């Protein structure tokens, strides 16, 4: 036994040695760590500016760390409070309030007179929250109008209507103007033209007004008459504009690098809208700011670096090397920067834009608004009803956390429970029979204990702590008792089977699990039976090719399938077109969106069932079939009387496991349909993720979802037939 | 009679071919995307690249940070983390699975239920507690911390898998060895483990894949680019704002090929290993 323990320890030690073997570089001088989520081209600008800073400060080394955009916010939220944050980080100004509310930021302090004079007051103002300046503006981004010189024939068109009028002279399949109509970020400019806002100063939803209705009605009209393409993703906008099938496109600076050199175009601020009393389309701008996290190890050096990045010298480097639209005013007088006409045009467009409101509720606008826009464009609701519904959802997502409850009762109950458990254990230990069986169990514990301890510590404990957070709510995570559960199970006072209600989503999840398992098992068994036929040639080759879906990471295939279901660019509609079928808007209806998710997950899951079945088939004794042949049984009888019953014991556990995995299959739903249309294809686990990461970081609420999922799954697996596998022994 | 079997044969091949096309079609699209120059090719039914270019591979595989070959470091990280995860998970799970297969003990049912239950709890709530735990162990920003988390999370499934395999190995084998003077541990090492080799290989492959493909925890725990694993890099190419699908596809192929190779090498074990297994609750 000690020998075994020693071997295990040696194995563990060897494994950890392997992991430690790759050396980490030693820090030379003073190092400042800067985190950012830039793509490669913008990062190049940052690198150039940092190189200048390092030249001026030979004793300082700046370590730039790029983070994937999607993981950036949660990484900051984890790292800063535990003292693992950077010295400085760069993020968009609209996240400021949520960072401040979570106490993640250090007061930036007053700017030097030179910087104050050089930076536009509006941009500095956007980084001031509740009277405190939290950072220094580096660059800004907004949508702008790209106009193709060839298609517009050199004309400058002042209004949206002028562009829309072009469609009469354009060939079929060519659009007057393309933008991501489904996205609030892109379409908000039209709302602004009508004098509508989506969020007011107090952080209330403000689009459900007659002006908002008018803007959304105009958007629907533009799409309906073919001036603007429907269901336009960023990919489609790029594709239409670069192939000369859109006179104009509304997009950001990120489009420019994807356009071929042969395409001649210029960049302008957005047009006016005659129908809105000549109101100007004003997009949002976002301001990239250098922010100092709370507990920054070198706050003074970080401030110095931030100030340098924002200074004219740092800005010129960022503009020339990284095409950043820098905030510094005097940088634009630099001949190198000023001669970059396109960059100047983006700068003009960005200055004409409106900084996105800094309010903690801003994040909660996008989800409900996106859905309202899509619903109207699909013709499923009037602008008025859709915006009213969006307001309702917004209010639902931004509702205040439940009030603090007195935890005394819970603490007392917990103590009593622990005491009772302890008492029970000690009383059982007094029983000599129990003690004897414990002694008999000792050798077994030697084999299993290390695994139970490891799993208990690193798997069960974090899950249990996570489950505990379901009793807390709010940014400060105060104790609320069972309020989160109550809110979920009563749909927060709404209709119990209404939109996004737990019960409705549970129904979808069950449907999702059952259909998937049926297809997994059906296809898996079917293919395994074919591959098991001894007469089939190339069996090994088939088998190898058929397990390929298993070997590809699921997030890769989910994204590939999402692309294949794209309405205009996707391969599935291209295949259908070969057979003369009209293009399908896969994510516009529940049935088709669900089918798209299903196809993806069936693709991912059938190889596992096939391989399990193949294995189980080899263990069915041949003499059973020989006996059946003697009795003159037909092939069908042999299948239903011998093969399927014999497969059952081996398949049942695999099916149960597969059902649990499918029930919690977050990747596919999140990446393929993303819940579209209108959140109807969401399953429980993807709802939980949305509450945790996109709907105002309601971690406690998401944890309550997770606990409910757990309870349901435990209940279901208990209810399922439990069969001891007779054939497997 | 022969005509009938010929027709059946053709039908079988037709069905299998359709299945193979279904299985390969999305993968072929990823390949087409990876080799197409510039941005994504336009829509058509056949996954053919719009030209032939290695620019995406050159950009992704040749990614440098100063004079450091950052892609190489991240590939090494992924390989080290996944291999160590598989090793540690198997090292923990194998003796435990043997114990579960051969012994009865007080608390066996309860601990088995608890192990099974860990598979049902969505991870969404656990990432912050795990972060705090690794912080307390001073293992943030280390490969070892990631390995510890991955390996332990792979243990329950591995244990069920291997217990099934050990159940299928007759007890007489090791008892004969013990009669010949071997200790139980010696018999376990020299008799039981070799007999369970296919199942161990397949279980190790699963553990390897969990670590190789995991993104969310890696992105939360690792904050230095030279420590990133490849899925973090890939996620950057698929981000909403600065998406580069060509780069993503090239990276996705680079990430998938090692796992495909492992599947190919282990294809025989895959079938026999899973057979003996079977996840029993």
């Amino acid at each position: 036994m000690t020998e075994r323990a020693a071997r295990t320890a040696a194995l563990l030690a060897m494994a950890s040695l392997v992991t430690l073997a790759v050396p980490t570089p030693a820090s030379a001088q003073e190092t400042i760590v800067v985190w950012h989520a830039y793509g490669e081209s913008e990062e190049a600008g940052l690198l150039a500016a940092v190189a200048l800073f390092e030249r001026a400060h030979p004793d300082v080394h700046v370590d730039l760390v790029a983070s994937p955009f999607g993981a950036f916010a949660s990484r900051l939220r984890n790292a800063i409070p535990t003292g693992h944050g950077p010295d400085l980080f760069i993020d968009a100004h609209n996240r400021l309030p949520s960072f401040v509310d979570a106490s993640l930021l250090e007061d930036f302090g007053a700017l030097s007179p030179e910087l104050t004079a050089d930076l536009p007051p509006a941009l500095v103002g956007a980084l001031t929250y509740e009277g405190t300046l939290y950072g220094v503006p580096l660059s800004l981004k907004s949508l702008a109008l790209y106009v193709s010189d060839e298609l517009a024939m050199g004309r400058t068109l002042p209004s949206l209507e002028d562009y829309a009028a072009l469609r009469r002279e354009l060939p079929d399949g060519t659009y007057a103007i393309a933008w991501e109509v489904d996205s609030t970020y892109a379409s908000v400019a039209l709302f602004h033209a009508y004098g509508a806002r989506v969020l007011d100063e107090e952080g209330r939803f403000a689009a459900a007004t007659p002006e908002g209705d008018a803007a959304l009605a105009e958007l629907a009209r533009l799409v309906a008459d073919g001036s603007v393409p429907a269901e336009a993703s960023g990919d489609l906008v790029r594709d239409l504009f670069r192939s000369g099938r859109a006179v104009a496109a509304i997009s950001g600076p990120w489009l420019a690098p994807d356009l071929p050199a042969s395409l001649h175009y210029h960049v302008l601020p957005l047009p006016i809208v005659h129908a809105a009393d000549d109101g100007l389309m004003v997009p949002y701008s976002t301001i990239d700011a250098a922010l100092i996290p709370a507990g920054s190890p070198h706050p003074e050096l970080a401030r110095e670096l931030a100030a340098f990045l924002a200074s004219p010298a740092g800005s010129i480097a960022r503009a020339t090397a990284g095409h950043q639209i820098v905030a510094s005013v005097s940088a634009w007088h630099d001949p190198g920067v000023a001669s970059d006409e396109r960059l100047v045009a983006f700068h003009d467009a960005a200055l004409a834009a409106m900084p996105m409101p800094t309010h903690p509720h801003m994040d909660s606008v996008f989800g409900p608004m996106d859905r309202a826009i899509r619903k109207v464009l699909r013709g499923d609701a009037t602008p008025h009803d859709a915006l009213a519904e969006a307001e309702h959802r917004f209010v639902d997502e931004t509702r205040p956390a439940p009030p603090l409850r007195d935890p005394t009762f819970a603490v007392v109950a917990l103590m009593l429970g622990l005491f009772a458990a302890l008492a029970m254990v000690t009383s059982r230990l007094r029983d000599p029979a129990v003690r004897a069986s414990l002694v008999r169990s000792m050798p077994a514990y030697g084999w299993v204990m290390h695994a139970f301890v490891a799993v208990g510590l690193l798997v069960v404990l974090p899950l249990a702590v996570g489950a505990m957070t379901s009793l807390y709510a709010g940014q400060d995570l105060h104790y609320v008792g069972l309020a989160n559960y109550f809110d979920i199970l009563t749909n927060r006072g709404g209709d119990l089977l209404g939109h996004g209600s737990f019960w409705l989503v549970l129904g979808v999840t069950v449907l999702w699990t059952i259909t998937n398992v049926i297809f997994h098992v059906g296809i898996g068994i079917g293919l395994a039976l074919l591959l098991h036929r001894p007469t089939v040639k190339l069996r090994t080759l088939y088998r190898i090719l058929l397990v390929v879906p298993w070997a590809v990471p699921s997030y890769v295939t989910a994204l590939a399938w999402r692309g294949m279901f794209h309405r205009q660019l996707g391969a599935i509609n291209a295949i259908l077109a070969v057979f003369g079928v009209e293009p399908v808007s896969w994510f516009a209806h529940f049935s088709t969106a669900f089918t798209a998710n299903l196809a993806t997950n069936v693709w991912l899951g059938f190889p596992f069932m096939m391989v399990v079945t193949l294995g189980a088939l080899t263990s069915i004794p041949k003499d059973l079939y020989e006996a059946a042949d003697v009795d003159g049984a037909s092939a069908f009888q042999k299948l239903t009387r011998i093969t399927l019953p014999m497969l059952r014991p081996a398949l049942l556990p695999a099916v149960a496991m597969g059902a649990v995995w499918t029930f919690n299959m977050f990747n596919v739903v999140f990446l393929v349909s993303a819940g579209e249309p209108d959140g109807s294809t969401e399953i429980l686990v993807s709802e939980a993720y949305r509450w945790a990461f996109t709907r105002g970081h309601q971690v406690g609420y998401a944890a309550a979802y997770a606990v409910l999922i757990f309870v349901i799954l435990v209940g279901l697996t208990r209810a399922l037939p439990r069969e001891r596998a007779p054939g497997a022994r | 009679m022969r005509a009938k079997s010929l027709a059946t044969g053709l039908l079988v091949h037709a069905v299998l071919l359709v299945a193979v096309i279904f299985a390969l079609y999305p993968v072929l699209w990823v390949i087409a995307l990876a080799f197409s120059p510039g941005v994504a090719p336009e829509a058509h039914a056949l996954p053919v690249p719009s030209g032939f270019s290695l620019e995406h591979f050159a950009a992704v595989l040749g990614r440098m940070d100063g004079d450091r070959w950052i892609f190489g470091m991240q590939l090494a990280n992924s390989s080290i983390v996944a291999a160590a995860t598989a090793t540690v998970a198997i090292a923990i799970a194998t003796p435990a699975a043997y114990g579960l297969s051969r012994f009865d003990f007080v608390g066996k049912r309860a601990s088995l239920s608890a192990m099974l239950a860990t598979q049902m709890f969505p991870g969404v709530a656990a990432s912050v507690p795990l972060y705090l735990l690794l912080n307390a162990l001073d293992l943030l920003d280390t490969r070892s911390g990631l390995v510890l988390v991955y390996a332990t999370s792979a243990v329950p499934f591995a244990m069920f898998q291997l217990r099934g395999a050990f159940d299928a190995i007759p007890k007489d084998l090791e008892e004969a060895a013990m009669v010949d003077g071997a200790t139980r541990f010696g018999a376990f090492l020299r008799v039981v483990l070799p007999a369970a080799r296919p199942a161990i290989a397949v279980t190790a492959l699963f553990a390897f894949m969990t670590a190789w493909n995991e993104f969310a925890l890696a992105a939360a725990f690792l904050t230095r680019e030279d420590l990133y694993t490849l899925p973090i890099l890939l996620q950057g190419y698929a981000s909403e704002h600065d998406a580069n699908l060509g780069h993503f596809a090239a990276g996705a192929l680079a990430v998938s090929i090692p796992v495909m190779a492992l599947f190919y090498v282990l294809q025989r074990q895959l079938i026999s290993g899973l057979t003996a297994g079977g996840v029993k609750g």
Side-chain angles (χ1 to χ4, degrees):
Chain A
M1 210 189 81
T2 43
E3 182 196 359
R4 188 199 53 78
R7 298 250 177 158
T8 314
L11 265 176
L12 277 171
M14 255 163 57
S16 49
L17 268 181
V18 172
T19 51
L20 293 171
V22 175
T24 49
S27 60
Q29 329 97 313
E30 196 93 81
T31 298
I32 324 185
V33 180
V34 181
W35 289 4
H36 66 89
Y38 280 144
E40 276 176 21
S41 71
E42 286 177 294
E43 185 182 28
L46 204 55
L47 280 167
V50 159
L52 285 181
F53 181 82
E54 284 179 329
R55 203 171 308 152
H57 301 78
D59 52 333
V60 178
H61 170 70
V62 179
D63 193 3
L64 286 180
V65 181
S67 163
F69 182 81
F72 198 46
S74 50
R75 180 180 285 189
L76 290 165
R77 278 168 183 278
N78 277 334
I80 294 173
T82 49
H84 294 275
D87 293 290
L88 187 72
F89 70 97
I90 298 172
D91 204 354
H93 78 284
N94 51 308
R95 289 221 266 232
L96 201 64
S98 70
F99 288 156
V100 173
D101 288 352
S103 311
L104 299 185
L105 292 182
E106 195 104 326
D107 182 350
F108 194 84
L111 296 181
S112 70
E114 298 85 41
L115 272 183
T116 311
D118 190 39
L119 294 169
L123 304 190
V124 177
L127 299 179
T128 308
Y129 180 64
E130 291 171 344
T132 308
L133 178 67
Y134 282 103
V136 55
L138 296 182
S139 58
L140 57 167
K141 258 179 231 152
S142 81
L143 298 178
L145 187 70
Y146 288 68
V147 182
S148 154
D149 291 343
E150 190 197 341
L151 291 173
M153 292 180 286
R155 287 170 288 183
T156 41
L157 301 169
S159 76
L160 188 61
E161 281 85 355
D162 293 326
Y163 283 100
L166 289 179
R167 75 173 183 280
R168 276 179 240 117
E169 47 187 88
L170 293 171
D172 267 359
T174 304
Y175 295 92
I177 181 166
W179 77 82
E180 281 183 65
V181 280
D182 290 347
S183 125
T184 307
Y185 178 70
S187 287
V188 76
L190 192 62
F191 282 79
H192 291 158
Y194 278 82
R197 294 284 174 275
V198 294
L199 192 76
D200 69 10
E201 305 275 306
E202 275 78 47
R204 289 176 304 223
F205 190 78
T209 56
E211 292 83 18
D213 296 350
L216 194 44
E218 172 70 6
L219 187 66
R221 203 185 56 70
L222 288 166
V223 171
D225 75 7
S227 306
V228 175
E231 290 178 51
S233 61
D235 288 342
L236 183 74
V237 172
R238 180 188 63 203
D239 209 56
L240 289 174
F241 189 69
R242 66 191 222 111
S243 60
R245 285 179 292 150
V247 180
I250 297 177
S251 186
W254 49 86
L255 174 63
D258 287 347
L259 297 175
S262 57
L263 183 75
H264 296 286
Y265 64 94
H266 49 280
V267 174
L268 299 168
L270 303 193
I272 59 168
V273 183
H274 286 318
D277 294 333
D278 290 351
L280 182 65
M281 288 179 77
V282 181
Y284 276 147
S285 60
T286 47
I287 302 156
D288 285 332
L291 307 165
I292 299 180
S296 162
H298 309 95
E300 283 317 312
L301 265 176
R303 256 184 210 102
E304 206 176 317
L305 174 63
F308 175 77
L309 293 175
S311 73
S315 298
I316 292 168
R318 286 185 296 116
T320 33
H323 301 287
Q324 295 190 17
I325 300 145
V326 293
S328 158
V329 173
S330 52
W332 295 93
H333 300 311
D334 175 77
V337 179
S339 64
D340 188 339
E341 282 173 36
R342 201 156 282 154
L343 203 61
V344 171
F346 282 127
H347 186 222
D348 291 344
L351 289 182
M354 172 197 296
M356 191 184 287
T358 32
H359 193 282
H361 288 171
M362 189 63 216
D363 275 352
S364 301
V365 168
F366 292 107
M369 266 302 277
D370 284 354
R371 286 184 176 174
I373 294 174
R374 283 181 195 150
K375 215 164 174 176
V376 170
L377 294 184
R378 283 198 306 268
D380 287 352
T382 65
H384 182 80
D385 293 349
L387 288 173
E389 193 182 53
E391 173 160 34
H392 182 76
R393 281 183 199 160
F394 172 87
V395 170
D396 188 28
E397 280 182 29
T398 56
R399 75 200 184 288
L404 176 72
R405 294 270 168 81
D406 185 4
T408 321
F409 174 74
V411 171
V412 169
L414 189 70
M415 297 298 274
L416 282 179
L418 280 179
F419 186 74
L422 205 67
M424 219 176 75
V425 170
T426 41
S427 85
R428 284 200 65 189
L429 281 181
R430 289 228 182 90
D431 183 346
V434 174
R435 280 225 287 256
S437 58
L438 260 183
V439 170
R440 259 179 282 125
S441 301
M442 278 306 162
Y445 289 150
W447 289 91
V448 298
M449 206 37 100
H450 66 286
F452 290 164
V453 169
V455 172
L457 221 60
L458 281 141
V459 181
V460 179
L461 180 68
L463 287 175
V465 173
M468 288 291 284
T469 48
S470 67
L471 303 177
Y472 296 78
Q475 288 300 322
D476 57 341
L477 280 184
H478 57 261
Y479 179 79
V480 296
L482 297 174
N484 287 327
Y485 294 95
F486 184 79
D487 281 353
I488 291 174
L489 296 176
T490 59
N491 196 21
R492 302 169 294 284
D495 182 0
L496 275 193
L497 288 176
H499 167 86
S501 103
F502 174 81
W503 302 103
L504 190 68
V505 179
L506 174 61
V508 174
T509 312
V510 169
L511 179 71
W512 160 254
T513 309
I514 291 174
T515 44
N516 266 298
V517 168
I518 289 174
F519 277 106
H520 286 159
V521 173
I523 296 178
I525 292 184
L527 290 175
L529 287 175
L530 293 185
L531 288 177
H532 195 63
R533 295 166 79 97
T535 53
V536 178
K537 295 223 164 69
L538 303 173
R539 284 197 296 171
T540 317
L541 180 67
Y542 280 126
R543 203 180 60 216
I544 290 167
L545 293 179
L546 285 172
V547 291
V548 163
W550 197 356
V552 183
S554 66
Y555 59 88
V556 170
T557 43
L559 284 169
W561 278 92
R562 175 165 182 90
M564 284 170 27
F565 282 112
H566 194 288
R567 180 166 183 259
Q568 294 95 341
L569 302 175
I572 306 281
N573 278 353
I575 294 176
L576 292 178
V578 172
F579 298 102
V581 181
E582 286 290 301
V584 178
S585 297
W586 287 95
F587 303 116
H589 310 285
F590 172 78
S591 55
T592 49
F594 189 84
T595 309
N597 285 346
L598 188 64
T600 308
N601 201 47
V602 166
W603 187 85
L604 277 171
F606 83 84
F608 175 72
M609 282 298 167
M610 184 185 86
V611 170
V612 171
T613 314
L614 271 175
L617 282 174
T618 54
S619 64
I620 299 178
K622 293 247 177 349
D623 43 348
L624 285 177
Y625 293 105
E626 284 156 15
D629 284 335
V630 172
D631 292 347
S634 71
F636 182 75
Q637 281 173 322
K638 278 189 275 184
L639 177 69
T640 53
R641 301 279 171 79
I642 303 174
T643 313
L644 292 183
M646 290 298 285
L647 285 178
R648 208 175 122 91
L651 282 188
L652 262 189
V655 171
M657 208 70 224
V660 170
W661 287 336
T662 307
F663 200 93
N664 283 339
M665 189 63 195
F666 158 74
N667 270 353
V668 168
V669 175
F670 199 78
L671 294 175
V672 177
S673 81
E676 285 296 307
D678 217 21
S680 60
T681 51
E682 216 79 73
I683 60 173
L684 287 174
V685 72
S686 63
E687 273 290 299
Y689 271 83
R690 289 202 189 280
W691 286 108
F693 296 110
T694 62
R695 296 175 188 160
H697 286 272
Q698 303 192 28
V699 184
Y701 204 73
Y705 256 95
V707 172
L708 287 171
I709 292 170
F710 175 70
V711 169
I712 291 168
L713 280 176
V714 169
L716 283 180
T717 42
R718 298 250 145 185
L720 279 180
R722 282 168 154 266
E723 204 159 323
R724 287 286 136 210
R729 297 240 166 192
Chain B
M1 192 62 200
R2 277 197 59 185
K4 193 188 163 209
S5 72
L6 190 69
T8 322
L10 279 179
L11 192 70
V12 167
H13 279 283
V15 172
L16 286 173
L17 265 180
V18 169
V20 166
I21 291 171
F22 175 62
L24 295 188
Y25 190 72
V27 181
L28 291 177
W29 264 112
V30 175
I31 296 173
L33 216 54
F35 286 103
S36 298
V39 286
E42 289 184 26
H44 37 78
L46 290 179
V48 215
S50 62
F52 182 82
S53 148
L54 292 176
E55 62 180 71
H56 297 304
F57 288 97
V60 175
L61 272 56
R63 195 176 144 83
M64 303 290 285
D65 176 25
D67 52 357
R68 296 184 303 172
W69 182 38
I70 202 83
F71 179 86
M73 298 174 94
Q74 294 177 351
L75 177 66
N77 290 334
S78 267
S79 314
I80 292 168
V81 167
T85 297
T87 316
V88 175
I90 292 295
I92 296 177
T94 312
Y98 180 76
L100 286 170
S101 167
R102 293 295 190 262
F103 297 97
D104 266 325
F105 53 87
V106 179
K108 180 172 172 176
R109 278 182 64 94
S111 45
L112 275 177
S113 307
M115 289 282 172
L116 196 63
T118 60
Q119 303 295 297
M120 299 176 191
F121 207 104
V124 59
S127 96
V128 173
L130 272 174
Y131 185 94
L132 297 175
L133 186 65
L134 285 195
N135 182 31
L137 298 172
D138 210 9
L139 284 174
L140 286 172
D141 263 330
T142 62
R143 285 171 285 254
S144 313
L146 210 55
V147 168
L148 210 56
V149 171
Y150 288 164
T152 45
S153 70
V155 162
F157 181 73
M159 235 167 57
F160 286 116
Q161 193 62 36
L162 292 171
R163 181 177 69 136
F166 292 141
D167 280 349
I169 297 171
K171 279 183 189 170
D172 324 353
L173 276 181
E174 72 226 59
E175 273 157 13
M178 282 157 74
V179 167
D180 290 347
T183 60
R184 188 175 268 283
F185 187 64
F188 167 69
L189 276 189
R190 276 179 284 278
V191 180
V192 181
L193 281 191
R197 209 152 42 191
I200 292 175
V202 172
T203 310
L205 173 66
F206 291 162
F208 184 93
M209 277 172 68
T210 10
W212 185 260
N213 294 338
E214 206 281 336
F215 159 73
L217 294 177
F221 299 157
L222 302 176
T223 59
R224 281 179 22 208
E225 276 185 83
D226 56 338
L227 289 175
Y228 280 5
T229 51
L230 288 176
I232 307 182
L233 173 80
L234 272 190
Q235 212 72 22
Y237 292 128
S239 93
E240 279 173 65
H241 290 265
D242 208 22
N244 189 331
L245 291 181
H247 284 21
F248 178 78
L253 284 185
V255 169
S256 306
I257 284 170
V259 180
M260 287 192 196
L262 282 177
F263 262 86
Y264 181 77
V265 172
L266 293 175
Q267 46 148 328
R268 300 221 161 265
Q269 281 85 343
L270 199 58
I271 291 175
S272 49
L274 269 176
T275 328
V279 191
K280 283 186 284 172

